[in-house]
Amino acid sequence: MEPRVHYKTSEDGRRPLRRQSGETSRTEDTIRTVRPSRTLIHVLVQNRGMHDSSPSGDGTILDVFARSRNEPLTTSEVATMAGCSPRTTRETLEALVDQGRLLTKEVGPDEEVWWSPDHDREHDGNTGILGSAGGAAKQLQEISTRLIGEDDIDALYEEFLEATITIMDADFGSLQKFDSDRNELRLLAHEGFDPDAAEFWKWVDPESSSTCSVALETDQRVVVSDVETCEFMADTGDLEMYLRNDIRAVQTTPLISRSGTTVGMISTHWRTPHEPSEDTLHLLDLLARQAADLIERTQAEQALRERERRLKESNERLEQFAYAASHDLQEPLRMVSSYLQLIERRYADEFDDDGREFLEFAIDGADRMRHMIDGLLKYSRVETEGNPFEPTDLDAVLMEARKDLQLRIEETDARITAESLPRVSGDRQQLRQVFQNLLDNAIEYSGGEPPRVEIWAERGDAEWTISVRDEGIGIDPEYTDRIFEMFRNLHEPDEHSGAGIGLALCERILERHGGRIRVESTPGQGSTFSFTLPEASDDEK
């Protein structure tokens, strides 16, 4: 017995609450609901005990297609439902393909096959089921194929609606999407509505008296065979609009996503009282699933694009702020540093020990602030003032970075050994900055021994991994995920110099290059920083 819509009103009588099964129906003669199918394949219980009815299995497998009511089936599913061996099933399906009875070119375990509408077969008294629904099934398959790569979403909405009207043999149709922000249904596409009706149903409130509002509240299909005798529509604007547009019968099917969320509605309308058949409603369920998938996909893509847009705007604002702040701070800081140096030159001899110590603290603080501002400026300019990518010889880049650090290398007696490095696609100046920062860190945190640094490269899938290893003091595992944060310095200023921005800058530069950076370290045994870069293309090598 098919379920029906039952009403339960709130105490004030204004709002129908969620329907409760078993309560008295006010609309049994005019409206019924059927929960749409939520899977494309229904495993038929009556087929579980079937065996080959002929040596080839042809009769049994044809019977499976008849009972499946023109849903797509895979070879494995046909074998299970028919009780045939995989080999027999495959050979039979291949023969049916050769005869043109199946809408597929390949027969594999996971390949979906459809019955051809050009070959009606009569099984179990169901005359013409396969042929009458075949055209619609083929149309569904074609839409599903286009769905994968179609960029014109509005065109697909129109096509879904047109297919629905064709399948249901209806006169009108509409497709709506649920807008969670407004808690209303928004009209995406329609056919047959006059401008007033399209405007009237542009947004549908869940509390209105329409089939869409009932279907939205119950998550079930609503069929009204005659709107003039439907009690919940009596004396409503919806009924008036139906009659004004010459609509006498309506069905509305919820579009339910794979996660179980109602994402929209698809409706068809007839000019005369009408009761759609179960066969057409079954095909409509297949189309509704695809329409739900489309809406869910577009919603996910739109949400992703919106997040990307907001993130981009946020990053741009942060870059502008960082640039403005660091640029505007330079002049007053320069003045502070200049006067501190002037005081040191002219009056240092007049200070006592505490005074001289205080002055040294002030000068050191100003110097560290200047380094932080310089680093912040470089960080904010990674995207905006970076050079175009070009083929870059990392051996040459490393040589330039070592020249920049030549004095420091000589003072610390550092020994840097490097294997041959590859050519990559990148910004030469920024990659030079990466090497310079990593080498500077390796020298700074070498401990009491002269720094020893090794550099090598390993080739991966369309990218290179460059590693820089030192034998220094290492990093506590607790902090390995935090050292790439802005202004993160794990040591006191009097222990090691640095503004805590060098590694953050390296990470930002490598992100711009489509790469990443990581560190492996053991306290007291050194650290290895590894970063990836895309290899140069064949044309660039």
Side-chain angles (χ1 to χ4, degrees):
M1 180 177 180
E2 66 184 19
R4 297 177 182 273
V5 169
H6 299 277
Y7 267 91
K8 179 179 179 181
T9 58
S10 57
E11 292 183 359
D12 59 11
R14 291 180 299 177
R15 168 106 167 96
L17 304 178
R18 184 165 295 280
R19 282 74 174 163
Q20 306 295 322
S21 60
E23 297 183 7
T24 303
S25 171
R26 297 172 51 196
T27 58
E28 291 187 354
D29 295 332
T30 58
I31 179 170
R32 61 188 175 86
T33 66
V34 180
R35 183 171 297 279
S37 302
R38 301 198 182 191
T39 58
L40 290 180
I41 303 297
H42 297 278
V43 179
L44 302 179
V45 176
Q46 56 266 47
N47 283 334
R48 290 179 180 173
M50 295 178 64
H51 301 283
D52 292 1
S53 60
S54 67
S56 67
D58 183 286
T60 299
I61 289 176
L62 293 180
D63 191 51
V64 166
F65 277 101
R67 292 179 182 276
S68 70
R69 305 176 70 85
N70 251 63
E71 292 180 355
L73 299 171
T74 65
T75 304
S76 300
E77 289 165 338
V78 173
T80 299
M81 296 167 67
C84 298
S85 67
R87 179 178 179 180
T88 297
T89 302
R90 186 180 64 255
E91 291 176 350
T92 302
L93 291 178
E94 288 174 349
L96 293 174
V97 169
D98 293 340
Q99 297 169 19
R101 296 188 179 187
L102 297 181
L103 295 176
T104 185
K105 295 182 180 179
E106 302 289 338
V107 175
D110 299 318
E111 180 74 22
E112 287 188 344
V113 293
W114 298 69
W115 182 259
S116 172
D118 298 328
H119 290 82
D120 292 359
R121 293 277 296 205
E122 186 175 316
H123 291 282
D124 295 334
N126 293 325
T127 304
I129 288 179
L130 296 176
S132 61
K138 183 177 181 180
Q139 188 174 12
L140 293 181
Q141 187 184 32
E142 292 173 351
I143 291 176
S144 181
T145 300
R146 286 195 297 276
L147 178 62
I148 298 174
E150 179 62 68
D151 292 327
D152 189 349
I153 300 301
D154 291 336
L156 265 180
Y157 287 149
E158 295 285 351
E159 190 164 351
F160 270 119
L161 184 58
E162 182 179 347
T164 302
I165 293 173
T166 300
I167 289 172
M168 302 301 293
D169 192 23
D171 301 304
F172 309 88
S174 62
L175 177 64
Q176 297 159 305
K177 180 175 74 172
F178 181 70
D179 188 308
S180 57
D181 293 334
R182 293 184 50 156
N183 194 35
E184 291 182 316
L185 290 165
R186 180 170 67 88
L187 188 63
L188 295 177
H190 68 88
E191 184 170 324
F193 292 169
D194 63 27
D196 290 341
E199 182 63 28
F200 182 82
W201 282 309
K202 181 177 181 180
W203 292 96
V204 174
D205 190 321
E207 297 188 12
S208 65
S209 298
S210 67
T211 56
C212 292
S213 62
V214 176
L216 183 62
E217 187 169 357
T218 62
D219 283 341
Q220 294 183 347
R221 177 189 291 118
V222 176
V223 178
V224 177
S225 57
D226 190 343
V227 297
E228 288 193 340
T229 60
C230 177
E231 281 191 29
F232 76 85
M233 288 186 186
D235 300 322
T236 64
D238 287 272
L239 176 60
E240 181 181 348
M241 190 59 66
Y242 280 137
L243 297 179
R244 186 186 302 172
N245 278 263
D246 197 22
I247 295 173
R248 287 291 302 274
V250 185
Q251 79 74 33
T252 296
T253 296
L255 305 179
I256 301 174
S257 70
R258 296 180 188 274
S259 62
T261 303
T262 299
V263 297
M265 297 287 162
I266 193 161
S267 302
T268 49
H269 316 76
W270 294 266
R271 287 191 174 90
T272 59
H274 182 77
E275 182 77 15
S277 69
E278 293 302 321
D279 288 338
T280 56
L281 291 176
H282 179 74
L283 284 173
L284 178 59
D285 288 344
L286 302 182
L287 186 61
R289 164 47 58 85
Q290 295 187 31
D293 287 345
L294 173 63
I295 290 177
E296 191 171 44
R297 188 193 82 181
T298 56
Q299 287 178 330
E301 291 174 348
Q302 289 170 356
L304 179 60
R305 286 194 296 269
E306 179 63 17
R307 284 195 296 269
E308 290 176 346
R309 183 188 65 79
R310 292 181 179 178
L311 181 60
K312 183 179 179 181
E313 290 180 352
S314 176
N315 286 338
E316 289 175 351
R317 287 195 295 269
L318 287 174
E319 288 176 0
Q320 292 170 359
F321 170 78
Y323 178 82
S326 55
H327 184 272
D328 293 344
L329 285 173
Q330 280 188 321
E331 184 57 34
L333 181 61
R334 187 180 297 112
M335 181 179 295
V336 170
S337 297
S338 297
Y339 277 102
L340 286 173
Q341 292 170 3
L342 184 61
I343 291 173
E344 183 181 33
R345 287 196 302 270
R346 290 188 180 183
Y347 305 107
D349 294 340
E350 299 180 18
F351 291 165
D352 58 16
D353 291 342
D354 286 343
R356 282 190 289 273
E357 184 179 15
F358 295 159
L359 182 59
E360 289 177 1
F361 287 157
I363 293 174
D364 181 66
D367 287 341
R368 286 191 292 108
M369 177 63 76
R370 178 172 53 82
H371 288 308
M372 292 176 69
I373 291 175
D374 288 343
L376 188 58
L377 272 172
K378 291 177 181 177
Y379 189 89
S380 66
R381 292 170 174 172
V382 168
E383 295 286 346
T384 57
E385 297 188 10
N387 297 316
F389 291 176
E390 61 182 2
T392 302
D393 185 345
L394 290 185
D395 281 327
V397 172
L398 175 59
M399 184 180 297
E400 294 170 359
R402 294 179 64 166
K403 286 182 179 179
D404 294 336
L405 296 171
Q406 185 63 37
L407 181 61
R408 187 161 169 75
I409 291 173
E410 292 175 354
E411 289 176 346
T412 59
D413 193 25
R415 187 178 69 193
I416 301 173
T417 60
E419 297 180 0
S420 177
L421 300 180
R423 287 172 64 84
V424 299
S425 178
D427 181 333
R428 186 186 188 93
Q429 294 303 317
Q430 289 186 348
L431 295 180
R432 176 178 173 179
Q433 183 74 61
V434 170
F435 275 113
Q436 183 176 329
N437 288 355
L438 293 179
L439 290 176
D440 190 46
N441 267 12
I443 295 172
E444 178 67 30
Y445 299 102
S446 62
E449 301 295 327
R452 297 293 180 262
V453 184
E454 298 176 34
I455 304 172
W456 69 92
E458 296 175 309
R459 187 170 187 173
D461 184 14
E463 67 178 13
W464 286 92
T465 298
I466 316 299
S467 298
V468 179
R469 172 173 173 74
D470 64 63
E471 299 177 358
I473 62 177
I475 304 169
D476 191 309
E478 178 182 354
Y479 300 108
T480 54
D481 292 335
R482 300 167 56 189
I483 61 173
F484 297 103
E485 296 176 6
M486 181 79 74
F487 303 127
R488 176 64 66 181
N489 197 323
L490 304 182
H491 304 275
E492 295 298 326
D494 56 348
E495 295 180 13
H496 295 281
S497 63
I501 200 172
L503 292 177
L505 180 59
C506 288
E507 183 179 54
R508 182 75 183 276
I509 290 172
L510 293 169
E511 285 177 349
R512 183 194 172 216
H513 285 72
R516 56 197 180 279
I517 187 170
R518 68 180 188 277
V519 62
E520 296 178 359
S521 182
T522 302
Q525 298 183 27
S527 304
T528 301
F529 287 86
S530 299
F531 59 90
T532 61
L533 289 169
E535 66 177 351
S537 65
D538 293 337
D539 295 337
E540 295 174 327
K541 292 179 180 178

